[in-house]
Amino acid sequence: MNYDVAILGAGAAGMFCAIEAGRRGRRVLLLDHAKSAGDKIRISGGGRCNFTNYNIAPEKFLSNNPRFALSALKRFTQWDFIAMVDAAGIGWHEKTLGQLFCDGSSKEIISMLLDHMARAGVELRLQTQIDQVSRDESGYQILTSAGTIRAASVVVATGGKSIPKMGATGLGYKLAQQFGLSVTETRAGLVPLTFAPHVLDKTAGLSGLSVSAEVSHQKTRFSEGLLFTHRGLSGPSVLQISSYWREGDSICVDLCTGQDIGNLLGDDRHAYGRLSVKNALARHIPEKLAALMVAEAGVAGNLADQSKAALRGLAETVHNWQVTPSGSEGYRTAEVTLGGVDTDGLDARTMESKAVPGLYFVGEVVDVTGWLGGYNFQWAWSSGWAAGQVC
């Protein structure tokens, strides 16, 4: 069982790397402990796979060195992957904010990748446990549940810790540390945020309510949907900000974007002065949310009874609701893992370890994390492509 390249992990990055290495005539073995390849691809985008984004740019990736990703992203772009999807006859559409989804099923993307792997002569071995990886003068030895495999090069594409029920583990980080590479702090990213009981007591009646909102943390802000849950907040805007939020920090939420509640209520005083302030506010935002905002602002009575200062305070609460999450839902529901193999130890053009020849890291296991909306898949395609040119 001797190979030129052994790739650990049959997810997006591993499959793409296998295709590129196989096309170069390399004898490639792709290993995974799962029953099928591309499981995270299959469940992504509600089963339609948000496979890339029109607006790929380095500032939309989080890393200790955000510019590290630029080399791979420039050399295999979103347009290259779109061309591949088109050539496979897979229909797709833009949903919003440059996010591209399959018209049909995400299984079409997996089938496309499997087809390219087969044509490139890649050997796929599933349900194979990886127990140990070592290196000597002759190359790498991989001890697996199916025996020992030898390879000149090893590509680690094992992903991060997110969604453990899909089989996610920290194997890639352990291998990096074993071979002397640093690993930055890892934590759940693109994940719903949770509230402490005293906050949930106030928001419990809002569970299931969705609004358009702008959510910000320090200088970073996202304007997309927000969803109240029985545990806290979710929705695209919250998932996005979760990658920037840290425990103990508050977030700021504008619950009525594009309108000035202060001006609207000021105008309403003349025609709707006898309405309770809650019902007046409910003309502009959902009633249950209006009740929460009125309680948060500490106002009561009819609209006509409110001073200008009280209405300004209520408007400030709606547009600048400050709340401190108690935590997140963690890796159980996180879409990605923030942090990972430190990019200082990797060559940006090849994804190879600078200190350990023939050892590569691609995809989520690396300290490069994209925004919600196809960015992480593009990093998987691009980083896998980069390693596949040389491994």
Side-chain angles (χ1 to χ4, degrees):
M1 294 197 288
N2 294 309
Y3 296 86
D4 295 318
V5 187
I7 301 174
L8 314 183
M15 295 172 80
F16 215 81
C17 182
I19 292 166
E20 292 301 315
R23 285 172 172 170
R24 293 172 44 237
R26 304 286 278 168
R27 188 178 181 201
V28 180
L29 174 65
L30 180 58
L31 290 167
D32 203 297
H33 66 277
K35 293 181 180 179
S36 55
D39 282 345
K40 281 192 176 179
I41 299 174
R42 177 175 52 80
I43 67 169
S44 68
R48 290 193 171 183
C49 188
N50 181 191
F51 56 82
T52 193
N53 194 293
Y54 278 142
N55 305 313
I56 299 297
E59 62 268 20
K60 296 176 181 179
F61 293 83
L62 290 80
S63 171
N64 279 354
N65 177 11
R67 296 197 65 79
F68 175 86
L70 187 58
S71 175
L73 292 170
K74 271 192 167 183
R75 289 182 297 130
F76 187 85
T77 70
Q78 65 270 44
W79 311 111
D80 294 317
F81 194 79
I82 291 168
M84 191 174 178
V85 171
D86 286 341
I90 299 173
W92 54 272
H93 61 278
E94 180 186 1
K95 188 174 180 181
T96 183
L97 300 174
Q99 301 170 16
L100 306 188
F101 289 77
C102 296
D103 288 344
S105 169
S106 56
K107 293 178 182 178
E108 294 178 275
I109 298 293
I110 299 172
S111 295
M112 176 189 75
L113 297 173
L114 290 172
D115 180 59
H116 280 289
M117 283 168 51
R119 283 189 274 163
V122 173
E123 182 180 339
L124 174 62
R125 194 175 300 176
L126 299 169
Q127 295 182 278
T128 302
Q129 190 71 33
I130 299 161
D131 297 319
Q132 184 179 325
V133 179
S134 59
R135 177 177 179 266
D136 59 23
E137 308 80 37
S138 63
Y140 292 87
Q141 292 78 45
I142 305 154
L143 184 62
T144 76
S145 56
T148 300
I149 293 158
R150 299 184 181 277
S153 299
V154 167
V155 180
V156 180
T158 50
K161 301 176 183 177
S162 57
I163 319 183
K165 70 179 181 181
M166 301 292 293
T169 71
L171 175 62
Y173 310 132
K174 293 177 182 177
L175 290 175
Q177 292 170 329
Q178 174 191 326
F179 285 99
L181 282 80
S182 297
V183 176
T184 67
E185 177 194 6
T186 57
R187 57 193 177 92
L190 300 181
V191 63
L193 298 176
T194 57
F195 289 157
H198 72 279
V199 181
L200 284 178
D201 287 344
K202 301 176 183 178
T203 63
L206 299 176
S207 181
L209 177 66
S210 178
V211 296
S212 293
E214 181 181 83
V215 183
S216 59
H217 174 263
Q218 297 177 1
K219 295 182 179 180
T220 304
R221 60 190 64 239
F222 293 97
S223 294
E224 292 185 69
L226 176 146
L227 174 69
F228 286 88
T229 74
H230 68 287
R231 299 187 65 190
L233 295 176
S234 188
S237 61
V238 173
L239 297 184
Q240 294 278 39
I241 212 66
S242 73
S243 294
Y244 296 84
W245 172 84
R246 300 303 293 259
E247 286 76 3
D249 292 350
S250 63
I251 58 174
C252 176
V253 185
D254 181 350
L255 290 160
C256 189
T257 58
Q259 298 188 77
D260 187 322
I261 287 295
N263 288 341
L264 291 173
L265 292 180
D267 292 342
D268 288 346
R269 289 181 70 181
H270 304 291
Y272 306 101
R274 293 185 179 182
L275 281 179
S276 69
V277 67
K278 184 205 78 171
N279 288 341
L281 182 58
R283 298 184 67 250
H284 307 290
I285 63 175
E287 182 177 1
K288 291 182 178 180
L289 185 56
L292 173 64
M293 293 296 100
V294 167
E296 291 278 282
V299 297
N302 293 340
L303 182 60
D305 298 331
Q306 308 306 313
S307 66
K308 290 183 179 180
L311 292 182
R312 282 197 300 270
L314 177 57
E316 175 67 11
T317 301
V318 173
H319 291 301
N320 191 26
W321 181 43
Q322 301 280 338
V323 63
T324 303
S326 60
S328 78
E329 292 193 2
Y331 292 117
R332 181 180 64 85
T333 60
E335 297 203 14
V336 293
T337 302
L338 292 155
V341 178
D342 195 332
T343 58
D344 284 349
L346 302 177
D347 185 313
R349 283 191 62 81
T350 65
M351 308 304 297
E352 185 178 17
S353 165
K354 293 177 180 178
V356 187
L359 182 63
Y360 302 78
F361 293 84
V362 297
E364 187 183 353
V365 74
V366 180
D367 175 28
V368 174
T369 305
W371 286 4
L372 183 72
Y375 295 94
N376 289 294
F377 271 130
Q378 187 58 48
W379 169 242
W381 314 135
S382 297
S383 60
W385 180 93
Q389 306 309 303
V390 293
C391 64

